[in-house]
Amino acid sequence: MIAIIKIVFLLSFLVLIHESGHYIVAKMCNIKVNEFAIGFGPKIWKHRGKETEYELRAIPLGGFVNLEGEEKESNDNRSYSKSSIPKRMAVIVAGGLVNIIFGLTTYFLLILIRYMIVKNMSFVTAISYSAQSLGLLIQSMFDGIIQLFTGKVGMNDMMGPVGISEMVSQTSGIVEFIYLLSIISVSLGMTNLLPIIPLDGGKFLLLIIEAIRKKPLDKELELKIQSYGCLLLVLFSAIIAVNDIIRWIH
């Protein structure tokens, strides 16, 4: 039961800060937000704000921010589609950036505290060593992405929600849990910003194309690209999930 609580909390928390990034930047850019939801499936709680409905849903495996004019045409002056490309870009990358910033900051603070308390280092020395550890983490993350695109990392080496859940359930103590939370947050943020449709990085790529063309893509074409991308992503996720289950069984 404790393992389930840890898994649900970790997934829900990471989704919360991710979607909050989209939400806050959208509000800063004066883009209307219709829904802010944590989870998928049936609604188990909702609250209607001034213009946004806040929802908690039954399946804690994701979430979404529904922006006015993002999926269909809207004549509202505050719609996403009528906003400038820089504003839309800011909204798109905000979620992943929040995950990365939160993860790196939390990781740095954990290492800093460890060096100061366990290793009994001075504050200045601990800062130096913590910065080096943080640099190694960032380098390892980028190396992993490069290996992915160069084919040095195969699908059997990847881990999805099932594998992550297994790792989370095996953590012992709050420090180890927060450490894993920070690593997963960075990984989630970086993965989300990859130029793959329908991830946020893929949406950002479409905005770059729109900026170069100086006009938006045909809506029907964009929806087709998004649909094929979703299909491939679901297939990709299913394969990784099967591999996770096979590893877990063995």
Side-chain angles (χ1 to χ4, degrees):
M1 185 62 183
I2 293 177
I4 294 174
I5 292 173
K6 288 196 293 185
I7 293 165
V8 171
F9 175 82
L10 182 140
L11 293 176
S12 299
F13 179 77
L14 292 182
V15 169
L16 174 63
I17 62 173
H18 179 92
E19 299 303 338
S20 293
H22 292 309
Y23 173 85
I24 291 170
V25 174
K27 289 288 189 180
M28 290 173 63
C29 293
N30 197 32
I31 296 173
K32 186 178 179 182
V33 181
N34 294 324
E35 282 181 279
F36 179 95
I38 302 301
F40 295 118
K43 300 174 186 178
I44 57 178
W45 175 86
K46 66 178 181 179
H47 170 72
R48 183 71 190 179
K50 186 177 180 181
E51 66 178 18
T52 306
E53 183 166 281
Y54 303 91
E55 304 165 356
L56 186 62
R57 299 191 176 214
I59 306 171
L61 292 177
F64 61 90
V65 171
N66 182 359
L67 305 175
E68 177 72 22
E70 183 180 16
E71 296 182 353
K72 50 187 177 182
E73 293 296 330
S74 171
N75 292 321
D76 194 313
N77 290 329
R78 295 177 57 215
S79 71
Y80 174 83
S81 57
K82 289 185 179 296
S83 299
S84 66
I85 290 178
K87 284 184 177 181
R88 283 183 278 158
M89 285 180 166
V91 173
I92 288 298
V93 301
L97 287 179
V98 166
N99 281 125
I100 293 170
I101 292 169
F102 166 79
L104 293 179
T105 303
T106 304
Y107 179 87
F108 177 82
L109 291 175
L110 282 176
I111 299 299
L112 178 63
I113 293 169
R114 178 174 175 270
Y115 278 131
M116 290 179 65
I117 296 176
V118 179
K119 302 290 187 180
N120 197 27
M121 292 181 177
S122 68
F123 180 71
V124 174
T125 305
I127 286 276
S128 176
Y129 275 82
S130 299
Q132 291 178 33
S133 297
L134 186 63
L136 290 173
L137 172 65
I138 296 172
Q139 182 181 340
S140 67
M141 291 286 186
F142 276 110
D143 286 345
I145 292 173
I146 292 170
Q147 288 175 1
L148 173 64
F149 281 99
T150 55
K152 293 181 180 179
V153 172
M155 295 187 70
N156 290 333
D157 301 311
M158 298 179 192
M159 186 178 294
V162 176
I164 291 172
S165 297
E166 178 66 14
M167 288 179 63
V168 173
S169 66
Q170 292 176 0
T171 57
S172 57
I174 186 67
V175 173
E176 187 177 342
F177 177 79
I178 296 176
Y179 171 79
L180 185 59
L181 174 70
S182 67
I183 299 293
I184 294 174
S185 185
V186 177
S187 179
L188 173 65
M190 293 181 73
T191 301
N192 186 257
L193 293 178
L194 292 176
I196 300 171
I197 296 171
L199 300 179
D200 287 340
K203 295 177 182 178
F204 188 82
L205 178 62
L206 292 179
L207 287 174
I208 292 175
I209 294 173
E210 180 180 336
I212 293 171
R213 296 176 74 241
K214 296 184 179 179
K215 62 178 181 179
L217 289 173
D218 178 74
K219 203 66 180 177
E220 189 174 330
L221 174 61
E222 186 175 342
L223 287 174
K224 281 184 179 180
I225 293 172
Q226 294 276 8
S227 298
Y228 288 133
C230 283
L231 182 62
L232 289 173
L233 187 62
V234 169
L235 179 62
F236 183 74
S237 300
I239 294 171
I240 292 176
V242 170
N243 288 336
D244 282 344
I245 293 171
I246 291 172
R247 279 196 294 264
W248 178 66
I249 292 174
H250 291 291

